[in-house]
């Protein structure tokens, strides 16, 4: 969590009802550029791997 925050992400840790599985919701504001998104996904996978995790997708929100 600290590494993600230091990289500029807003981070929320959420557990499922069993408490055995976790979601690390990582939020970063950035322009929607394909190359930048792929770079961030690779970085997230490198950070998550030692903990048995992975980046399972990418979501976006549009602001008016």
């Amino acid at each position: 969590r600290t590494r993600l925050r230091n990289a500029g992400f807003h981070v929320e840790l959420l557990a499922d009802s069993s408490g055995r599985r976790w979601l690390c919701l990582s939020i970063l504001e950035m322009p929607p550029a394909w190359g930048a998104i792929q770079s961030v996904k690779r970085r997230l996978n490198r950070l998550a791997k030692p903990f048995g995790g992975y980046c399972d997708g990418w979501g976006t929100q549009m602001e008016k």
Side-chain angles (χ1 to χ4, degrees):
R1 186 170 25 172
T2 301
R3 290 180 186 176
L4 288 169
R5 285 190 176 137
N6 289 342
F9 288 87
H10 170 78
V11 180
E12 293 182 38
L13 290 176
L14 308 166
D16 72 359
S17 60
S18 72
R20 293 182 298 203
R21 294 180 52 176
W22 289 83
L23 168 69
C24 179
L25 181 62
S26 306
I27 301 167
L28 178 67
E29 288 188 33
M30 59 184 277
W34 179 253
I37 291 170
Q38 293 304 310
S39 176
V40 171
K41 284 178 69 174
R42 285 191 296 274
R43 185 169 36 153
L44 288 171
N45 277 317
R46 281 194 305 272
L47 289 169
K49 188 174 182 176
F51 304 99
Y54 59 93
C55 178
D56 72 343
W58 190 273
T60 62
Q61 249 183 333
M62 291 189 64
E63 292 190 23
K64 295 181 181 184

